[in-house]
Amino acid sequence: MNVEDYYWTCPRCGEKVDAIRQLVDGCFDEDGEAEFDPARGLTVHTIACPNCGAKWYTSVSEMDG
């Protein structure tokens, strides 16, 4: 499967939400490296439904150990 094949269904309106593509576009630089800081984690990123605007917030915690 390609990244474009993964989605979830918005519980508000039923539209397909391309969550993986939105994460890839928002969390990685142009070289493909995640913008992860071991001391702070990964900045919160918003995934949004393209139809109704419902939003989900994601983050990765700081490194443990």
Side-chain angles (χ1 to χ4, degrees):
M1 293 180 85
N2 295 318
V3 170
E4 295 82 14
D5 297 329
Y6 294 92
Y7 67 93
W8 68 58
T9 302
C10 177
R12 182 183 290 166
C13 73
E15 181 74 21
K16 286 184 177 181
V17 178
D18 61 347
I20 301 301
R21 172 56 62 200
Q22 289 185 45
L23 284 172
V24 167
D25 290 346
C27 295
F28 295 86
D29 66 19
E30 58 277 351
D31 294 323
E33 183 174 1
E35 298 185 12
F36 176 75
D37 178 339
R40 296 185 315 199
L42 189 63
T43 304
V44 172
H45 179 72
T46 303
I47 297 170
C49 175
N51 184 53
C52 71
K55 294 180 179 151
W56 298 266
Y57 303 97
T58 63
S59 65
V60 177
S61 70
E62 69 279 357
M63 195 166 104
D64 184 18

